[in-house]
Amino acid sequence: MKMTKVLALSALTAALLSGCEEKSSTIKFGAIGPLSGAVAVYGTEAKNGIDLAIEEINANGGINGQKIEIINEDDEGNPEKSVSAYKKLVTKDKVKYIIGSLTSGCTQAITALAQAQKIVMIAPAATAPAITTSGDFIFRACFIDPFQGTVGARFATESLGSKNAAILYDIGSDYSAGLTENFEKTFEAAGGKIVAKESYNSGDKDFNAQLTKIKNANPDLVYLPDYYGTVSLITKQLRAQGITTPIVGADGWDGLAGNAGDEVLNGYYSNHYAADSTNEAVQKFVKAYKAKYSAAPTAFAALAYDSTYMLKDAIIKAGTTDSVKVRDALAATDGNYVTGHLTFDSDRNPVKSAVIVETIKLDDGTISSAYKTTVNP
């Protein structure tokens, strides 16, 4: 009888301790992104979006009365540092939910670890298809490269009337090569012709040899699937060679504002949302972001903001912070967010529309972007 009482008391004590852990005063979220380095604007924007979302959530009572504690880690856009950041968050900080990283290579470096350790991970902007193949704990908030490449080609043929396109891409980048493959396939299926296809290596600064070949091919459009820093370099040389055609790209262009000039005009790129949309959720977000950071948010901020709210909604729906149950609740997401109405497919990729935005010059001479059209899945 005494032993039975002891066992019962032990069970009660364990249950109470478990309850204390479950009802900790905070829920830890980890965030990994490039806060320094060549693509720091992506990480900074994402961090801003996450911080804004958490500020709003905590001000409204948190998650079932628990406040969110965010722990940010800088991976500098380097996959090895992404792994170090991940290990620190999971082993030292005991984080069970991670938002990040921002680029596909950095994100891919940590997905297998997250899956093995049952860490719920949402990649805000990593668009390479392989990101979610590590398993069912890996999600993303952005659409994938095949969709972006398809969107770019459809816009080029249907809206710009392009018949003869040239492509200039980074042969060593999964992001750039994936977009190229799907743009080329869709463009040709629509009756278009790729009249020149030139490549370069990551870190190259001189593109004149490739651009000379492109100019000689006389395209009516040039597709540039790369990140804003490289795009700004290429377009300067492209325009200097007298190539005046429209240029088309993808979400890596987000960040050209403040980092490019007139050379990117007559440019269009696929993106996850447009800050000048009249959608109520978008305008509420943009207003709050501008009030906090005195600047308009890019898609990276919007995607990270949505990622934070999706995690919050999943934890509430699960009724627990258990990562397995939160994963299941996240997979069943069906709601309206800043970047659109979102559900997940069987590979935990979001099913939602893409927008095309145009690079424009404002009255003060600065480069910005404006909503052009929407392309549905």
Side-chain angles (χ1 to χ4, degrees):
M1 181 66 73
K2 289 183 179 180
M3 182 60 70
T4 302
K5 288 181 178 180
V6 170
L7 291 173
L9 181 60
S10 298
L12 177 61
T13 301
L16 288 172
L17 288 173
S18 176
C20 288
E21 290 175 359
E22 184 72 19
K23 291 298 181 182
S24 170
S25 60
T26 63
I27 299 174
K28 291 181 179 180
F29 283 12
I32 301 174
L35 303 178
S36 61
V39 290
V41 67
Y42 299 158
T44 301
E45 285 279 326
K47 179 181 182 298
N48 289 347
I50 293 168
D51 289 348
L52 176 60
I54 290 175
E55 182 180 289
E56 293 174 350
I57 293 166
N58 286 343
N60 285 291
I63 299 175
N64 298 327
Q66 296 172 274
K67 297 295 180 69
I68 302 174
E69 177 188 349
I70 183 67
I71 303 169
N72 290 289
E73 295 294 332
D74 179 13
D75 66 9
E76 302 176 28
N78 181 321
E80 291 183 3
K81 293 185 178 181
S82 303
V83 173
S84 297
Y86 170 88
K87 290 180 177 177
K88 185 261 183 184
L89 287 171
V90 174
T91 59
K92 180 181 179 181
D93 300 312
K94 308 301 181 184
V95 162
K96 292 191 287 186
Y97 320 104
I98 290 178
I99 301 170
S101 183
L102 272 294
T103 59
S104 293
C106 287
T107 304
Q108 190 70 46
I110 58 178
T111 54
L113 292 171
Q115 180 66 28
Q117 295 176 303
K118 297 183 179 180
I119 302 299
V120 177
M121 180 174 153
I122 302 183
T127 53
I131 292 299
T132 59
T133 59
S134 291
D136 56 0
F137 280 84
I138 315 302
F139 297 76
R140 77 175 103 216
C142 57
F143 40 67
I144 61 177
D145 288 341
F147 181 51
Q148 281 206 93
T150 298
V151 165
R154 284 172 54 187
F155 175 75
T157 56
E158 296 170 10
S159 296
L160 299 180
S162 175
K163 300 294 185 183
N164 298 289
I167 301 172
L168 181 57
Y169 73 106
D170 182 344
I171 196 169
S173 163
D174 290 342
Y175 172 78
S176 190
L179 286 165
T180 293
E181 178 184 353
N182 288 280
F183 176 90
E184 184 175 12
K185 180 171 61 178
T186 305
F187 189 84
E188 291 179 336
K193 181 180 180 181
I194 303 300
V195 295
K197 183 179 178 182
E198 298 295 323
S199 65
Y200 53 88
N201 295 305
S202 300
D204 284 356
K205 304 295 183 185
D206 186 348
F207 309 93
N208 281 293
Q210 297 96 319
L211 290 170
T212 296
K213 294 178 182 178
I214 286 173
K215 183 178 180 180
N216 290 337
N218 196 32
D220 56 29
L221 177 142
V222 178
Y223 188 58
L224 299 176
D226 209 330
Y227 299 113
Y228 70 93
T230 303
V231 170
S232 64
L233 287 175
I234 291 174
T235 50
K236 285 184 177 70
Q237 296 173 36
L238 181 147
R239 298 307 189 202
Q241 287 219 21
I243 302 172
T244 61
T245 66
I247 49 177
V248 174
D251 63 336
W253 285 30
D254 209 19
L256 281 174
N259 292 287
D262 289 2
E263 66 275 2
V264 296
L265 297 178
N266 199 19
Y268 308 86
Y269 60 98
S270 54
N271 212 348
H272 307 268
Y273 102 122
D276 58 343
S277 167
T278 57
N279 177 275
E280 183 178 352
V282 172
Q283 289 309 300
K284 181 181 177 182
F285 164 68
V286 170
K287 181 179 179 181
Y289 189 96
K290 285 182 174 179
K292 185 172 178 65
Y293 301 110
S294 301
T298 67
F300 292 92
L303 288 165
Y305 180 89
D306 279 355
S307 298
T308 309
Y309 268 98
M310 282 190 282
L311 267 180
K312 183 268 290 186
D313 291 344
I315 295 170
I316 290 175
K317 184 175 181 180
T320 175
T321 56
D322 177 78
S323 65
V324 174
K325 293 180 179 178
V326 171
R327 173 205 62 189
D328 293 343
L330 186 59
T333 296
D334 187 350
N336 294 311
Y337 296 90
V338 170
T339 58
H341 183 87
L342 187 147
T343 60
F344 287 108
D345 65 18
S346 60
D347 293 320
R348 297 160 307 285
N349 297 315
V351 179
K352 60 181 181 179
S353 301
V355 300
I356 297 290
V357 294
E358 179 180 3
T359 53
I360 62 169
K361 181 189 282 190
L362 301 177
D363 291 340
D364 64 1
T366 59
I367 297 300
S368 186
S369 60
Y371 170 79
K372 184 70 175 179
T373 189
T374 296
V375 180
N376 293 314

Short mmCIF file of all heavy atoms in Angstrom, two decimals, residues 340-368:
data_model
loop_
_atom_site.label_atom_id
_atom_site.label_comp_id
_atom_site.label_asym_id
_atom_site.label_seq_id
_atom_site.Cartn_x
_atom_site.Cartn_y
_atom_site.Cartn_z
N GLY A 340 -1.26 36.31 -48.88
CA GLY A 340 -2.39 35.67 -49.56
C GLY A 340 -3.06 34.59 -48.75
O GLY A 340 -2.66 34.27 -47.62
N HIS A 341 -4.12 34.04 -49.34
CA HIS A 341 -4.80 32.90 -48.71
C HIS A 341 -3.90 31.68 -48.89
O HIS A 341 -3.46 31.38 -50.00
CB HIS A 341 -6.16 32.63 -49.35
CG HIS A 341 -6.89 31.51 -48.68
ND1 HIS A 341 -7.68 31.72 -47.58
CD2 HIS A 341 -6.92 30.18 -48.93
CE1 HIS A 341 -8.18 30.56 -47.17
NE2 HIS A 341 -7.71 29.61 -47.98
N LEU A 342 -3.64 30.97 -47.80
CA LEU A 342 -2.60 29.96 -47.84
C LEU A 342 -3.08 28.61 -47.30
O LEU A 342 -3.68 28.53 -46.23
CB LEU A 342 -1.39 30.44 -47.03
CG LEU A 342 -0.12 29.61 -47.07
CD1 LEU A 342 1.10 30.52 -46.96
CD2 LEU A 342 -0.10 28.58 -45.94
N THR A 343 -2.80 27.57 -48.07
CA THR A 343 -2.88 26.19 -47.61
C THR A 343 -1.56 25.53 -48.01
O THR A 343 -0.78 26.09 -48.80
CB THR A 343 -4.05 25.43 -48.25
OG1 THR A 343 -3.88 25.43 -49.68
CG2 THR A 343 -5.39 26.07 -47.91
N PHE A 344 -1.31 24.33 -47.49
CA PHE A 344 -0.10 23.60 -47.86
C PHE A 344 -0.45 22.38 -48.69
O PHE A 344 -1.46 21.70 -48.44
CB PHE A 344 0.65 23.14 -46.61
CG PHE A 344 1.36 24.25 -45.88
CD1 PHE A 344 0.89 24.70 -44.66
CD2 PHE A 344 2.49 24.85 -46.42
CE1 PHE A 344 1.53 25.72 -43.98
CE2 PHE A 344 3.14 25.87 -45.75
CZ PHE A 344 2.65 26.31 -44.53
N ASP A 345 0.41 22.08 -49.69
CA ASP A 345 0.23 20.84 -50.44
C ASP A 345 0.88 19.69 -49.67
O ASP A 345 1.36 19.87 -48.54
CB ASP A 345 0.78 20.97 -51.86
CG ASP A 345 2.28 21.17 -51.93
OD1 ASP A 345 2.99 20.89 -50.92
OD2 ASP A 345 2.78 21.59 -52.98
N SER A 346 0.92 18.51 -50.26
CA SER A 346 1.43 17.33 -49.56
C SER A 346 2.91 17.42 -49.24
O SER A 346 3.41 16.70 -48.36
CB SER A 346 1.16 16.07 -50.40
OG SER A 346 1.80 16.17 -51.67
N ASP A 347 3.63 18.32 -49.92
CA ASP A 347 5.05 18.52 -49.64
C ASP A 347 5.31 19.73 -48.76
O ASP A 347 6.44 20.19 -48.64
CB ASP A 347 5.83 18.68 -50.95
CG ASP A 347 5.85 17.40 -51.77
OD1 ASP A 347 5.99 16.31 -51.16
OD2 ASP A 347 5.68 17.47 -52.99
N ARG A 348 4.23 20.27 -48.19
CA ARG A 348 4.29 21.41 -47.27
C ARG A 348 4.79 22.69 -47.96
O ARG A 348 5.42 23.54 -47.35
CB ARG A 348 5.14 21.06 -46.03
CG ARG A 348 4.53 19.94 -45.23
CD ARG A 348 5.50 19.26 -44.34
NE ARG A 348 6.70 18.81 -45.04
CZ ARG A 348 6.75 17.74 -45.86
NH1 ARG A 348 5.68 16.99 -46.06
NH2 ARG A 348 7.87 17.41 -46.48
N ASN A 349 4.51 22.77 -49.26
CA ASN A 349 4.72 24.00 -50.01
C ASN A 349 3.40 24.75 -50.08
O ASN A 349 2.34 24.13 -50.25
CB ASN A 349 5.19 23.69 -51.43
CG ASN A 349 6.53 22.99 -51.45
OD1 ASN A 349 7.44 23.39 -50.74
ND2 ASN A 349 6.66 21.94 -52.24
N PRO A 350 3.41 26.06 -49.97
CA PRO A 350 2.15 26.80 -49.96
C PRO A 350 1.49 26.84 -51.33
O PRO A 350 2.17 26.90 -52.36
CB PRO A 350 2.57 28.20 -49.51
CG PRO A 350 3.99 28.32 -49.93
CD PRO A 350 4.57 26.94 -49.79
N VAL A 351 0.20 26.79 -51.32
CA VAL A 351 -0.58 26.95 -52.55
C VAL A 351 -1.18 28.35 -52.50
O VAL A 351 -2.08 28.64 -51.69
CB VAL A 351 -1.70 25.90 -52.63
CG1 VAL A 351 -2.51 26.09 -53.90
CG2 VAL A 351 -1.11 24.49 -52.57
N LYS A 352 -0.67 29.25 -53.33
CA LYS A 352 -1.13 30.64 -53.35
C LYS A 352 -0.68 31.31 -54.64
O LYS A 352 0.12 30.75 -55.40
CB LYS A 352 -0.60 31.41 -52.14
CG LYS A 352 0.91 31.49 -52.04
CD LYS A 352 1.35 32.25 -50.80
CE LYS A 352 2.86 32.34 -50.70
NZ LYS A 352 3.29 33.10 -49.52
N SER A 353 -1.17 32.51 -54.87
CA SER A 353 -0.86 33.24 -56.09
C SER A 353 0.51 33.93 -56.00
O SER A 353 1.07 34.09 -54.92
CB SER A 353 -1.93 34.31 -56.36
OG SER A 353 -3.20 33.72 -56.49
N ALA A 354 1.02 34.32 -57.17
CA ALA A 354 2.21 35.17 -57.24
C ALA A 354 1.81 36.50 -57.86
O ALA A 354 0.85 36.58 -58.62
CB ALA A 354 3.29 34.51 -58.10
N VAL A 355 2.55 37.54 -57.53
CA VAL A 355 2.33 38.83 -58.17
C VAL A 355 3.54 39.16 -59.03
O VAL A 355 4.65 38.67 -58.81
CB VAL A 355 2.09 39.96 -57.15
CG1 VAL A 355 0.87 39.67 -56.30
CG2 VAL A 355 3.32 40.19 -56.27
N ILE A 356 3.31 39.98 -60.04
CA ILE A 356 4.39 40.57 -60.82
C ILE A 356 4.46 42.04 -60.45
O ILE A 356 3.43 42.74 -60.45
CB ILE A 356 4.15 40.44 -62.34
CG1 ILE A 356 4.13 38.97 -62.76
CG2 ILE A 356 5.22 41.20 -63.12
CD1 ILE A 356 5.46 38.26 -62.69
N VAL A 357 5.65 42.50 -60.09
CA VAL A 357 5.83 43.92 -59.79
C VAL A 357 6.79 44.53 -60.80
O VAL A 357 7.64 43.84 -61.37
CB VAL A 357 6.35 44.14 -58.36
CG1 VAL A 357 5.31 43.72 -57.33
CG2 VAL A 357 7.64 43.41 -58.11
N GLU A 358 6.63 45.81 -61.02
CA GLU A 358 7.45 46.55 -61.98
C GLU A 358 8.38 47.49 -61.23
O GLU A 358 7.99 48.12 -60.24
CB GLU A 358 6.57 47.35 -62.93
CG GLU A 358 7.34 48.17 -63.95
CD GLU A 358 6.43 48.96 -64.89
OE1 GLU A 358 5.20 48.91 -64.70
OE2 GLU A 358 6.96 49.61 -65.81
N THR A 359 9.64 47.59 -61.68
CA THR A 359 10.55 48.57 -61.11
C THR A 359 10.22 49.94 -61.68
O THR A 359 10.09 50.10 -62.90
CB THR A 359 12.02 48.22 -61.42
OG1 THR A 359 12.17 48.03 -62.83
CG2 THR A 359 12.42 46.95 -60.71
N ILE A 360 10.06 50.91 -60.81
CA ILE A 360 9.67 52.26 -61.22
C ILE A 360 10.56 53.30 -60.54
O ILE A 360 11.25 53.00 -59.56
CB ILE A 360 8.19 52.55 -60.88
CG1 ILE A 360 7.99 52.47 -59.36
CG2 ILE A 360 7.26 51.59 -61.61
CD1 ILE A 360 6.65 52.98 -58.89
N LYS A 361 10.52 54.53 -61.07
CA LYS A 361 11.24 55.63 -60.45
C LYS A 361 10.22 56.58 -59.81
O LYS A 361 9.27 57.02 -60.47
CB LYS A 361 12.09 56.40 -61.46
CG LYS A 361 12.89 57.56 -60.83
CD LYS A 361 13.56 58.43 -61.88
CE LYS A 361 14.81 57.78 -62.41
NZ LYS A 361 15.60 58.72 -63.26
N LEU A 362 10.42 56.89 -58.55
CA LEU A 362 9.54 57.81 -57.84
C LEU A 362 9.90 59.26 -58.18
O LEU A 362 10.93 59.53 -58.81
CB LEU A 362 9.64 57.58 -56.33
CG LEU A 362 9.29 56.16 -55.85
CD1 LEU A 362 9.50 56.05 -54.34
CD2 LEU A 362 7.85 55.82 -56.21
N ASP A 363 9.06 60.18 -57.76
CA ASP A 363 9.27 61.59 -58.07
C ASP A 363 10.60 62.11 -57.52
O ASP A 363 11.18 63.05 -58.07
CB ASP A 363 8.12 62.43 -57.52
CG ASP A 363 6.81 62.18 -58.26
OD1 ASP A 363 6.87 61.67 -59.40
OD2 ASP A 363 5.74 62.48 -57.70
N ASP A 364 11.06 61.52 -56.42
CA ASP A 364 12.33 61.98 -55.84
C ASP A 364 13.55 61.33 -56.49
O ASP A 364 14.69 61.52 -56.06
CB ASP A 364 12.35 61.74 -54.33
CG ASP A 364 12.28 60.25 -53.96
OD1 ASP A 364 12.25 59.42 -54.88
OD2 ASP A 364 12.25 59.94 -52.76
N GLY A 365 13.29 60.51 -57.54
CA GLY A 365 14.38 59.89 -58.28
C GLY A 365 14.81 58.54 -57.78
O GLY A 365 15.68 57.89 -58.39
N THR A 366 14.23 58.07 -56.69
CA THR A 366 14.62 56.76 -56.15
C THR A 366 13.86 55.65 -56.87
O THR A 366 12.77 55.85 -57.41
CB THR A 366 14.34 56.67 -54.64
OG1 THR A 366 12.94 56.90 -54.40
CG2 THR A 366 15.15 57.70 -53.89
N ILE A 367 14.46 54.46 -56.84
CA ILE A 367 13.85 53.29 -57.47
C ILE A 367 12.92 52.60 -56.48
O ILE A 367 13.25 52.44 -55.30
CB ILE A 367 14.93 52.30 -57.94
CG1 ILE A 367 15.81 52.95 -59.00
CG2 ILE A 367 14.31 51.02 -58.48
CD1 ILE A 367 15.07 53.39 -60.26
N SER A 368 11.76 52.20 -56.96
CA SER A 368 10.81 51.48 -56.13
C SER A 368 10.14 50.41 -56.98
O SER A 368 10.60 50.12 -58.08
CB SER A 368 9.77 52.45 -55.55
OG SER A 368 8.92 51.79 -54.63
#
